[in-house]
Amino acid sequence: MSTLPPTLRWDNGVLHLIDQTRLPLETRIEPQHTVEQVWQAIKQLKVRGAPAIGIAGAYGLVIGLQAKTHLDRPAFMAALAETATYLDSARPTAVNLHWALTRLSQVAAAMTEATPTEIWQRLEQAAIQIHDEDRQLCRAMGEYGAPLIKPGMGVLTHCNAGALATAELGTALAPMYLAHDRGVPFRVYADETRPLLQGARLTSWELQQYGIDVTLICDNMAPHLISQGLIDLVVVGTDRVAANGDVANKIGTLGVAIAAQYFGIPFYVACPYSTIDPDTPTGQAIVIEERGEAEVTYFGARRTAPEGMAVRNPAFDVTPHSLVTGLITDRGIISAPYGENLKQTLKAKRA
Ligand code: MRU
């Protein structure tokens, strides 16, 4: 039976999420009762992937305001702004976190005559709506992207842009799930994705659970496999698409895109409209998260670098739009000129 992991679940004021740092060895679902727990879960990558952290952030705001409905309206709105700013500080690169918190803040601001209790109830509905909507966005990206996968293809992906990164089917993995459901035979090559191994721990795990033919490779093997003709298509996710079509994604994506263009392989990026950021003009303006050095100097619990070693650990890179064959959105596949086509996409009817 093909199964997808239950990444996030909202139940009676509590957010339940799979602690992704324990996968694939242990599937532990942890309840989040406080906004601080949600912040930590996002920061520590217990929940990760752009759409999933947007959903978690929205529920986090609802959790944070749960005990504040006794306040008067100005004090409640001030608490809302403060909690949203706090949650937004957990991780900088994926725009979905900021997008979801802004959406909820706007919902509250529009309820000028409502009591804090009424606003809180509406915020809970809005968070559930973001969660439900993401399921539909994933399916729509899957429908548009699935026809790109032809029988016998080798498809490369980087990091995890699957069910564990979203509400359901994923972004980059959604076309793979639907193509597989439709009986198309193909093989996925999953980059392990150093330093935190989202490809090895998460992507290969969820694809294998679903019954998809998946082969794990180290990141430095991808250009070789492309040069050997084993890869026909690259599909990755993204954390933020700038207005000109530049895409930020997990560190290592840029190298894959360069190799794909050199060897003439199509390079697609899957993104829901919630990941397109019209306020960021180009990729250069995207804030790239720098994470702790222990992620680089240790492999699991074992130190693998000399003490005192200087380390850089940028968690994301930016792929220029000139290397992107197309963006698989919930509103269709778009290609260059991205500036104009992204504007039209954001105006278009939702999936
Ligand atoms: O650091 P992570 O694991 O949150 O990084 C996730 C990625 O880079 C994904 O590829 C991206 O968010 C797209 S997820 C649908």
Side-chain angles (χ1 to χ4, degrees):
M1 237 262 293
S2 301
T3 49
L4 291 170
T7 306
L8 297 148
R9 187 169 58 83
W10 179 248
D11 185 18
N12 213 10
V14 180
L15 174 63
H16 300 261
L17 50 85
I18 297 182
D19 177 354
Q20 298 191 29
T21 63
R22 295 176 184 275
L23 289 172
L25 298 179
E26 188 189 352
T27 309
R28 185 190 290 185
I29 295 178
E30 283 190 355
Q32 314 294 309
H33 298 276
T34 67
V35 65
E36 290 80 14
Q37 282 179 320
V38 176
W39 189 92
Q40 285 292 343
I42 295 171
K43 181 79 183 167
Q44 295 170 3
L45 275 58
K46 289 183 175 188
V47 59
R48 30 67 51 210
I53 65 175
I55 298 163
Y59 285 133
L61 187 57
V62 174
I63 291 171
L65 295 172
Q66 211 157 12
K68 306 270 166 134
T69 52
H70 64 282
L71 298 173
D72 61 21
R73 196 177 184 283
F76 181 83
M77 293 303 286
L80 186 153
E82 194 186 326
T83 312
T85 303
Y86 168 65
L87 283 162
D88 207 4
S89 71
R91 294 191 76 192
T93 305
V95 71
N96 302 60
L97 181 58
H98 183 72
W99 169 86
L101 294 166
T102 304
R103 179 153 145 180
L104 262 59
S105 303
Q106 286 169 349
V107 164
M111 296 177 75
T112 48
E113 303 299 319
T115 65
T117 301
E118 288 165 341
I119 298 173
W120 184 86
Q121 287 166 345
R122 181 69 193 90
L123 289 177
E124 184 189 29
Q125 285 169 6
I128 293 170
Q129 205 178 350
I130 286 175
H131 194 175
D132 288 343
E133 182 188 84
D134 192 63
R135 283 190 196 97
Q136 294 162 28
L137 299 175
C138 290
R139 187 152 291 273
M141 284 177 277
E143 290 291 351
Y144 286 116
L148 297 172
I149 302 175
K150 312 284 186 217
M153 272 190 167
V155 184
L156 177 72
T157 193
H158 188 77
C159 194
N160 175 268
L164 288 163
T166 63
E168 201 169 64
L169 288 175
T171 61
L173 299 196
M176 303 179 201
Y177 286 124
L178 294 193
H180 177 77
D181 287 350
R182 290 163 192 174
V184 178
F186 62 97
R187 170 168 298 166
V188 179
Y189 290 91
D191 281 351
E192 66 170 350
T193 317
R194 274 283 283 153
L196 293 181
L197 304 177
Q198 288 93 331
R201 295 186 302 101
L202 310 177
T203 299
S204 64
W205 179 76
E206 67 165 87
L207 290 176
Q208 188 186 53
Q209 300 272 312
Y210 204 79
I212 290 180
D213 178 354
V214 54
T215 298
L216 178 63
I217 58 170
C218 298
D219 300 333
N220 49 9
M221 298 169 189
H224 173 68
L225 262 60
I226 293 174
S227 77
Q228 297 296 298
L230 292 173
I231 312 291
D232 305 286
L233 171 71
V234 181
V235 190
V236 297
T238 172
D239 293 84
R240 191 184 293 243
V241 181
N244 71 342
D246 293 348
V247 291
N249 194 45
K250 180 53 57 190
I251 192 77
T253 304
L254 174 59
V256 174
I258 292 168
Q261 188 176 70
Y262 184 83
F263 288 103
I265 305 301
F267 178 89
Y268 283 90
V269 180
C271 59
Y273 81 95
S274 49
T275 308
I276 301 168
D277 179 10
D279 297 330
T280 296
T282 71
Q284 281 191 331
I286 297 175
V287 176
I288 301 293
E289 178 181 10
E290 282 272 348
R291 295 187 62 87
E293 60 179 54
E295 292 179 0
V296 178
T297 53
Y298 283 78
F299 202 81
R302 179 163 170 251
R303 190 168 178 101
T304 51
E307 291 294 343
M309 179 55 54
V311 167
R312 285 290 312 273
N313 186 13
F316 299 92
D317 58 28
V318 173
T319 298
H321 60 85
S322 58
L323 297 179
V324 178
T325 309
L327 295 171
I328 304 169
T329 78
D330 53 286
R331 296 152 192 204
I333 298 183
I334 63 170
S335 49
Y338 288 106
E340 186 48 36
N341 291 342
L342 281 168
K343 265 192 216 145
Q344 295 307 326
T345 301
L346 286 177
K347 275 194 221 148
K349 198 171 81 60
R350 288 187 189 168

